Amino acid sequence: MPFGPDDWNAVLLTLKLAGTTTLLLLLFGTPIAWWLARTRSWLKGPVGAAVALPLVLPPTVLGFYLLVTLGPNGPIGQLTQSLGLGLLPFTFPGLVLASVLYSMPFVVQPLQQAFESLGERPLEAAATLRASPWDTFFSVVLPLARPGFVTATILGFAHTVGEFGVVLMIGGNIPEKTRVVSVQIYDHVEALEYTQAHWLAGGMLVFSFLVLLALYGSKARNRHGF
């Protein structure tokens, strides 16, 4: 049998991690993207650079500093211990936090571009109708920025599924708790179990192709107004 129980557990955990991370990124990334698209503050540059940092930073570097910060001697680690929450490294919540930080630019940047492409006219029209800021955002901005949300959701989910360095540094390799698909493939290769590695890697390859196909298909439909 090409897939064993450990493989299925890794797949399910990966989907759970990607789904949770994507939802959190849409929740917290949307106001960040909106602020970056609208602000004229000098902080836009530093904040935008901080959001985009995972695009150029090696995953192991981010994972290392997260491990130090969340560890028993780190500021966040000491805070979580004082609150009775324990330590986040080598736990699923720790994986989620690391994934949110590492995948943030893949959600924030498409949303920012979508918000910037709206221009001022729809917002001015809503203002003339005396719509509140919240009403304008939910009734005007969100529908017009829907293609950006589709792109952000697809990229955020897919990028989280493909993570390796960060999740290995923060989550380690604990079956059914932190062992995701990318780590499971690594384990199979280390054990010279190439058949199992082929099945998982092939599944990742097909998944990545379908994600890109859906992304480009969505962009093509939006260009043609479908």
Side-chain angles (χ1 to χ4, degrees):
M1 186 175 179
F3 273 26
D6 288 341
D7 298 321
W8 285 114
N9 288 332
V11 170
L12 293 176
L13 184 65
T14 302
L15 294 176
K16 178 182 177 183
L17 175 64
T20 304
T21 299
T22 303
L23 288 175
L24 290 175
L25 281 171
L26 289 173
L27 180 63
F28 295 107
T30 298
I32 295 174
W34 179 248
W35 182 83
L36 288 171
R38 302 291 300 169
T39 187
R40 295 183 180 179
S41 169
W42 66 270
L43 288 172
K44 179 176 180 178
V47 172
V51 168
L53 199 59
L55 293 174
V56 297
L57 196 66
T60 49
V61 173
L62 179 61
F64 169 71
Y65 282 113
L66 280 175
L67 196 60
V68 171
T69 304
L70 301 175
N73 297 319
I76 297 181
Q78 292 180 350
L79 176 63
T80 56
Q81 289 182 99
S82 65
L83 294 175
L85 302 175
L87 294 172
L88 291 177
F90 311 113
T91 66
F92 183 77
L95 276 184
V96 171
L97 176 60
S99 298
V100 165
L101 293 176
Y102 190 53
S103 295
M104 184 170 291
F106 293 88
V107 171
V108 172
Q109 289 187 350
L111 292 179
Q112 181 183 348
Q113 293 170 4
F115 292 149
E116 289 174 344
S117 68
L118 296 179
E120 296 293 334
R121 186 169 297 178
L123 304 180
E124 292 173 352
T128 60
L129 297 174
R130 298 184 180 180
S132 67
W134 282 105
D135 192 28
T136 300
F137 186 80
F138 285 102
S139 301
V140 178
V141 174
L142 289 187
L144 292 176
R146 185 182 64 84
F149 277 91
V150 173
T151 300
T153 301
I154 292 174
L155 289 180
F157 188 90
H159 187 257
T160 304
V161 168
E163 290 176 5
F164 176 72
V166 169
V167 295
L168 184 62
M169 292 284 287
I170 294 297
N173 192 358
I174 306 174
E176 299 185 37
K177 291 186 178 180
T178 62
R179 183 187 291 171
V180 293
V181 168
S182 57
V183 177
Q184 183 73 1
I185 293 173
Y186 180 77
D187 285 349
H188 283 317
V189 173
E190 273 201 322
L192 302 180
E193 298 170 349
Y194 291 129
T195 300
Q196 292 90 330
H198 272 305
W199 276 95
L200 280 176
M204 291 285 288
L205 181 63
V206 172
F207 171 78
S208 300
F209 176 79
L210 292 176
V211 164
L212 292 175
L213 186 64
L215 182 60
Y216 285 112
S218 174
K219 289 183 176 180
R221 288 192 296 273
N222 289 326
R223 282 197 302 268
H224 291 89
F226 295 154

